[in-house]
Amino acid sequence: MHELGIVSGILDTVSRAARDAGALRVVAVTLRIGDMREVVPETLDFAWDVLSEDDELMRGSVLRVEAVRPRSRCLSCGEEFEHDRFHVRCPACGSAETHLLAGRELEIVSMEVDLP
Ligand SMILES: [Zn+2]
């Protein structure tokens, strides 16, 4: 369950930023996560609920996730295409030599906080 590690790292980062900004509490956090990260949304939510309880600033905050569809470029013919986690073969020429352009994101997009 690597979601625990992901959530733990993000909570640390957000909590520190919120504290530095003098926030009273964090209301919501938006993440962008590529499908190639193989994050299970339910597990991520569960980990968030459990771990955010331990931090006064994070308690009760809402986690929002923007999923990013994987996209690759074919190294044989140059075609760019979207795909899922399991099928990365070029739809134009059938080559398996591809380069991933998007889909491994793991970023904090934004956070909403209450300020005094
Ligand atoms: Zn191709």
Side-chain angles (χ1 to χ4, degrees):
M1 192 161 124
H2 69 142
E3 286 82 357
L4 268 180
I6 291 174
V7 166
S8 169
I10 285 168
L11 282 171
D12 280 353
T13 305
V14 170
S15 180
R16 197 173 314 124
R19 215 170 297 266
D20 288 351
L24 297 174
R25 68 184 198 99
V26 175
V27 180
V29 177
T30 304
L31 306 181
R32 183 177 294 133
I33 303 179
D35 285 352
M36 298 305 273
R37 290 278 174 179
E38 301 186 29
V39 167
V40 180
E42 293 76 17
T43 312
L44 196 73
D45 284 344
F46 175 74
W48 187 269
D49 287 348
V50 171
L51 294 179
S52 64
E53 276 297 307
D54 294 340
D55 188 324
E56 219 174 273
L57 278 180
M58 302 303 303
R59 199 170 297 148
S61 60
V62 175
L63 175 66
R64 302 190 188 112
V65 175
E66 299 173 359
V68 181
R69 286 268 289 167
R71 195 159 46 82
S72 289
R73 181 190 297 123
C74 175
L75 297 180
S76 300
C77 74
E79 175 85 357
E80 282 187 21
F81 56 98
E82 281 196 348
H83 53 85
D84 63 19
R85 264 162 43 206
F86 311 105
H87 304 90
V88 293
R89 205 170 272 276
C90 173
C93 74
S95 171
E97 303 275 312
T98 59
H99 173 69
L100 191 71
L101 300 172
R104 290 201 57 80
E105 293 79 359
L106 181 56
E107 304 158 357
I108 298 167
V109 179
S110 65
M111 53 189 271
E112 289 170 46
V113 299
D114 275 347
L115 291 169

